[in-house]
Amino acid sequence: MKKSLFALIATLALMAQPSSATETVPAYFEQAYAMIEDMLLHPEKMDFKEVVFAVDNAYLEGKADHDAYIAEIGRITEALRPMARTYAMQMPSVDLARNYAIHSCYINGNAANRGKPFAYDMQTTLRNGMPPFGTVIELLQTGLGTCRSLPFLYKILADELDAKAWLAMAPNHCFIRQRDANGTWWNFETTAGQFFHTSTYVRIFNIPEVSIRNGLYLKELTDTELLAYALQDLVNAYHAKTGIWSDDFIRQCFTLGLSYVPICNLQLDRWNYLYDQLRQRAMAVGIRTESAINAHPATHDLYVQVEALRDSIKEMGFVDITPEFYMNNLREMQQFIESQK
């Protein structure tokens, strides 16, 4: 978010910032939105690898090579098939063997990953102070990814191999959940190539119990929820490329997603949109203080909406992520990983 979610709504410095202007939405963003909308309307068309490519291509400004993307996923999948068949002779289920074959891409060098395990792009994250957007396209090219692209590729490969695996969310983080032959749930942390206990995520990310009860974090996502989060990814990519926080395209994205999944990160995008609308309206009438915003007829109703949504977001259990909070989490996770080795 452009400012801390739980900070005061208005300050003189923030009000002095220039407002965002609505521009023509690039076609590749419109195409990604149309694909996600179509899959929400027609669940039988769900294809996660195509959704990921559409959003990644939007972030890469329409320059991604779809044929190369599909070919590389196909190459990895075909390299994993004989490995899965071998593992199946030693394991209690075919599904476990297929998942274990995918695990190997994050643990050991093999034919599927061209001899080098997929790994977290630590240097870029440390340099930026936050992880980059992290496209699966770039992961396939470099072998280095983020807490977005690494689990996304795992899910894509699981779909291709017909292995059962689910994406799950933590604050500003994503990982894999799966079940063993006894029905026990496991969390595979793709950035580390290790299994994490659920309590580890709760501790590292300071996840409140209410957010778990609301299904916000630490649950396996349905296809519909995946598509809602894809819309949030699309908004993130759009902001990264345009610098715009509030226009018709962003409103279109969060309105569609929230109509299917009311409790998800798109609520934050909705708050950002309303907040930016409030800021622009206040600037237009020359308001510079929070008390004046609340008292002025032109801004009062919108101010009330922004405050009410902020309270609602807190009640849902969202964890506000600042760069400092993220980097502290990253260091703690790295320490935990080293201790497990």
Side-chain angles (χ1 to χ4, degrees):
M1 297 179 65
K2 64 182 174 182
K3 67 188 291 288
S4 177
L5 178 61
F6 308 125
L8 288 175
I9 269 296
T11 63
L12 180 60
L14 186 59
M15 301 305 290
Q17 292 180 1
S19 62
S20 301
T22 300
E23 302 174 359
T24 302
V25 178
Y28 34 84
F29 280 97
E30 295 279 17
Q31 291 163 3
Y33 175 88
M35 174 184 288
I36 295 169
E37 181 182 38
D38 187 48
M39 290 183 186
L40 283 168
L41 292 170
H42 305 97
E44 71 278 4
K45 295 184 179 181
M46 176 63 177
D47 188 336
F48 187 62
K49 71 176 182 295
E50 292 295 346
V51 172
V52 170
F53 178 84
V55 176
D56 283 6
N57 186 50
Y59 179 78
L60 297 171
E61 301 178 355
K63 299 173 183 176
D65 186 332
H66 183 264
D67 290 342
Y69 170 82
I70 294 298
E72 182 61 7
I73 289 173
R75 184 199 68 78
I76 296 172
T77 301
E78 291 311 307
L80 291 174
R81 290 191 192 281
M83 296 168 59
R85 287 194 291 268
T86 299
Y87 294 141
M89 293 185 287
Q90 312 163 25
M91 294 184 172
S93 72
V94 171
D95 183 67
L96 185 60
R98 290 169 179 169
N99 271 293
Y100 192 74
I102 305 172
H103 290 169
S104 70
C105 289
Y106 297 79
I107 301 171
N108 304 308
N110 54 44
N113 55 30
R114 301 185 188 277
K116 184 179 179 182
F118 299 135
Y120 186 74
D121 188 359
M122 180 63 72
Q123 292 305 312
T124 300
T125 298
L126 292 174
R127 188 164 56 248
N128 295 343
M130 282 289 277
F133 185 78
T135 67
V136 172
I137 292 168
E138 293 166 321
L139 169 58
L140 291 171
Q141 293 170 345
T142 66
L144 296 175
T146 65
C147 57
R148 174 187 183 270
S149 57
L150 287 164
F152 277 22
L153 179 57
Y154 189 110
K155 173 61 176 170
I156 290 170
L157 295 174
D159 289 347
E160 295 298 295
L161 287 173
D162 196 25
K164 293 181 176 63
W166 291 262
L167 284 168
M169 303 295 295
N172 206 36
H173 190 72
C174 191
F175 60 97
I176 293 293
R177 276 176 63 80
Q178 53 204 162
R179 280 183 293 202
D180 63 19
N182 297 320
T184 302
W185 283 101
W186 295 76
N187 305 312
F188 185 63
E189 179 53 52
T190 55
T191 65
Q194 295 182 21
F195 289 96
F196 279 15
H197 195 279
T198 300
S199 62
T200 301
Y201 289 107
V202 172
R203 176 176 56 81
I204 290 177
F205 290 98
N206 196 26
I207 297 174
E209 184 179 346
V210 63
S211 66
I212 300 173
R213 289 200 308 269
N214 286 331
L216 184 59
Y217 302 128
L218 307 183
K219 71 175 287 290
E220 54 281 4
L221 300 179
T222 66
D223 284 351
T224 299
E225 289 167 333
L226 282 178
L227 291 170
Y229 278 99
L231 286 167
Q232 193 215 7
D233 262 357
L234 192 61
V235 170
N236 289 342
Y238 184 74
H239 171 67
K241 294 302 176 180
T242 66
I244 294 173
W245 284 96
S246 61
D247 67 1
D248 288 343
F249 180 73
I250 290 175
R251 180 180 54 78
Q252 193 177 21
C253 286
F254 70 68
T255 300
L256 176 63
L258 292 175
S259 69
Y260 285 88
V261 185
I263 299 180
C264 71
N265 282 2
L266 285 168
Q267 291 288 2
L268 304 181
D269 296 308
R270 181 182 171 212
W271 187 88
N272 276 324
Y273 173 88
L274 291 174
Y275 175 84
D276 205 48
Q277 292 291 308
L278 174 63
R279 181 174 63 85
Q280 292 183 47
R281 189 177 298 181
M283 290 180 66
V285 295
I287 295 175
R288 291 292 184 269
T289 66
E290 182 180 5
S291 59
I293 288 175
N294 190 27
H296 198 286
T299 55
H300 171 74
D301 290 347
L302 189 52
Y303 176 86
V304 171
Q305 290 183 51
V306 169
E307 288 289 83
L309 181 57
R310 183 173 66 169
D311 291 342
S312 178
I313 284 172
K314 290 173 68 174
E315 290 173 1
M316 292 177 193
F318 282 91
V319 176
D320 190 27
I321 299 295
T322 64
E324 295 77 16
F325 184 84
Y326 184 85
M327 294 307 295
N328 286 337
N329 288 349
L330 183 61
R331 283 190 286 269
E332 185 172 352
M333 185 175 288
Q334 289 299 310
Q335 292 170 1
F336 176 78
I337 291 168
E338 290 301 318
S339 71
Q340 297 303 298
K341 288 181 180 179

